[in-house]
Amino acid sequence: AGDSRYEEQKWHKRKKADLGPTIVHDEERCILCTRCVRFMQDIAKSPQLVVTRRGSKNTLSTYPGAPLDNPYSLNTVDICPVGALTSKDFRFKCRTWYLKSSKSLCPFCETGCNTIIQHMDGCVYRILPDKNEKVNGAFMCDQGRLFRKHISCADRVSAPVVKCNKNDATSTSAEESFDKIFAAVAEKSAAILKKDGPGAFGVLLSPYLSVEEAYLALKIFGETLKTPDIALINYGEGFDGFTFSDNYLISKDKSPNKAGISALAEAMNIKLAAPETIAANAESKKNRSVIFIGPSFGIKEFYDRHKKAIDTSDFVISLTTHFQNIASISDYIIPFLLWAESEGHFVNKNGLVQKFLPAVTPPGGAASPGNIETLRRLGACFNAKFEYRSAAEVFAEIKKRLKLFD
């Protein structure tokens, strides 16, 4: 390399300035356009960024002792025109041009923000907002973005599991085939049904179920089995410590499809019970079997309050995604897919029906039958016979039969 003809002293700035828990700032790359400053002030309503000093020494910074710590902070990465602001979660993890993009929805509250899942080789690297002026404009909250960590984590359920002895914390679990585990569920359920009738079954539904999944669950337990004890878990006050809400994008109710499931139950003349009723019935042995359907996260508060009660039931089944909460005390654990791995619809708080499609392959890979097939086989255990092969077939029946979600 030749000698530089530049004779003046170069002004060096910090390449990795820590602005807060989510953002790293490259001060030399920054052109001081103040887009991020204006976003935090005008959109996020939290003026935490400021341009300090004067002239050539101008620098983007935060106020003294006040880091950039806001539920919308990662939007500043999207709007930065030169890449001076980078996400600590994604920074240098992957070249962006290698990533594939799939349109999806955010499942973290009842707003239903439109998103883009960026992934490669089955791994989700980041989640970005997808512009929809009717729902979220061009932004989304940090919680929805960072949810990607739940998709490819170590405690995902990838195969059916039988707990050898749920009353022994040191007991091992054994993986089984889908055929064997559904045969065992059918045998045990038939014995309970013969002795104690439909009222012996209590069903807990997650508000993370899609319209199609919830319809099949209600059809199995409400219309075929006719158990009076079906409950929708309530995330109305938040969950897992995520209780923040505002008048912008983060709703108080963290249930992505509560509106859709409630509409289905009403149209099918099924009265939903309170989740606390299922726990009380399990403790009193009225519900000898408790069945949970949906993702494991979000029910920690309910599980912590009612673990002992649910654990007293004779037979616990979980169709779930992670080895957490109710799954940890279940006799049988059957894999269930997340929204990023399956197809379906959510209904947001304004009644807007939105479709999502699979972005990545589930942990079980080709061996995973999918949620519709899993629920079909569960239904067969309770003499509910239907032959749906896709979410599209189920949704078509819902529209035709119940006149919903047109």
Side-chain angles (χ1 to χ4, degrees):
D3 295 331
S4 173
R5 293 181 295 171
Y6 188 80
E7 297 179 353
E8 305 299 326
Q9 182 180 357
K10 292 183 178 180
W11 178 248
H12 294 284
K13 296 183 180 181
R14 295 179 298 173
K15 296 292 290 182
K16 294 189 293 183
D18 192 336
L19 292 184
T22 59
I23 302 292
V24 173
H25 182 222
D26 185 338
E27 294 180 350
E28 289 190 341
R29 182 177 290 182
C30 181
I31 60 172
L32 296 170
C33 66
T34 70
R35 280 188 181 185
C36 54
V37 176
R38 286 175 283 143
F39 171 82
M40 294 305 301
Q41 178 175 317
D42 299 335
I43 306 298
K45 306 298 182 185
S46 180
Q48 295 177 323
L49 292 176
V50 63
V51 175
T52 63
R53 310 178 81 174
R54 293 186 177 185
S56 62
K57 296 184 179 181
N58 272 167
T59 304
L60 178 70
S61 183
T62 59
Y63 290 96
L68 178 57
D69 187 7
N70 182 273
Y72 298 104
S73 64
L74 286 170
N75 288 287
T76 61
V77 176
D78 299 338
I79 63 178
C80 180
V82 294
L85 296 172
T86 53
S87 163
K88 289 183 179 180
D89 180 60
F90 178 69
R91 181 179 169 89
F92 306 138
K93 297 282 176 63
C94 177
R95 301 291 187 185
T96 57
W97 49 86
Y98 293 148
L99 297 174
K100 296 179 180 179
S101 297
S102 302
K103 290 179 177 290
S104 188
L105 302 173
C106 177
F108 245 104
C109 76
E110 61 179 354
T111 300
C113 293
N114 288 216
T115 64
I116 296 173
I117 297 176
Q118 294 198 319
H119 54 95
M120 183 179 69
D121 297 332
C123 178
V124 175
Y125 280 86
R126 64 178 179 179
I127 299 176
L128 303 174
D130 189 20
K131 189 173 183 179
N132 185 334
E133 294 296 350
K134 293 182 179 179
V135 183
N136 57 295
F139 307 114
M140 67 181 294
C141 75
D142 293 358
Q143 191 79 8
R145 293 172 186 263
L146 300 177
F147 182 80
R148 70 164 196 88
K149 298 176 181 179
H150 293 282
I151 300 173
S152 302
C153 56
D155 63 347
R156 284 296 303 271
V157 180
S158 60
V161 171
V162 175
K163 184 74 172 177
C164 298
N165 183 359
K166 74 172 186 177
N167 295 318
D168 180 2
T170 63
S171 174
T172 59
S173 298
E175 289 191 1
E176 289 286 0
S177 68
F178 282 92
D179 289 339
K180 285 185 178 180
I181 203 162
F182 279 117
V185 168
E187 182 181 351
K188 286 206 170 189
S189 299
I192 293 174
L193 185 61
K194 183 177 181 180
K195 182 178 180 182
D196 297 300
F201 294 90
V203 182
L204 292 167
L205 302 180
S206 166
Y208 273 73
L209 293 178
S210 70
V211 165
E212 295 84 350
E213 294 156 3
Y215 175 72
L216 294 187
L218 292 172
K219 195 168 184 178
I220 295 167
F221 298 105
E223 294 187 334
T224 303
L225 186 63
K226 298 187 184 301
T227 176
D229 298 322
I230 304 174
L232 178 63
I233 296 176
N234 181 22
Y235 295 168
E237 300 297 326
F239 64 82
D240 295 352
F242 181 39
T243 58
F244 177 82
S245 63
D246 57 23
N247 295 322
Y248 184 37
L249 297 180
I250 305 175
S251 300
K252 182 179 181 181
D253 195 327
K254 303 302 186 287
S255 310
N257 197 32
K258 180 179 179 180
I261 299 173
S262 299
L264 284 172
E266 183 178 354
M268 297 169 76
N269 294 314
I270 296 172
K271 186 177 180 181
L272 296 175
E276 291 73 18
T277 301
I278 308 299
N281 289 346
E283 190 170 29
S284 67
K285 294 292 186 178
K286 179 179 181 292
N287 290 154
R288 288 185 56 201
S289 175
V290 174
I291 302 169
F292 171 70
I293 306 175
S296 301
F297 49 80
I299 61 169
K300 185 178 186 303
E301 287 85 354
F302 174 81
Y303 172 73
D304 288 344
R305 290 196 303 269
H306 303 291
K307 174 184 176 181
K308 185 177 180 180
I310 295 173
D311 203 19
T312 57
S313 63
D314 298 336
F315 183 38
V316 182
I317 309 170
S318 287
L319 279 71
T320 193
T321 56
H322 298 72
F323 289 104
Q324 300 173 5
N325 304 319
I326 293 179
S328 65
I329 59 170
S330 295
D331 298 279
Y332 295 138
I333 306 167
I334 301 172
F336 209 70
L337 306 186
L338 288 170
W339 94 108
E341 302 153 349
S342 58
E343 177 184 347
H345 291 79
F346 285 153
V347 182
N348 76 356
K349 61 183 178 183
N350 296 320
L352 181 64
V353 183
Q354 300 187 99
K355 184 177 182 177
F356 57 88
L357 294 170
V360 293
T361 305
S368 176
N371 291 348
I372 300 302
E373 175 64 11
T374 297
L375 288 167
R376 187 191 71 78
R377 298 190 68 173
L378 178 68
C381 299
F382 295 91
N383 298 315
K385 301 188 186 307
F386 38 74
E387 296 300 325
Y388 309 109
R389 297 298 177 185
S390 68
E393 290 181 17
V394 179
F395 194 67
E397 178 176 309
I398 292 170
K399 293 201 293 184
K400 182 178 179 180
R401 177 192 165 195
L402 303 179
K403 311 300 181 187
L404 291 175
F405 314 131
D406 287 326

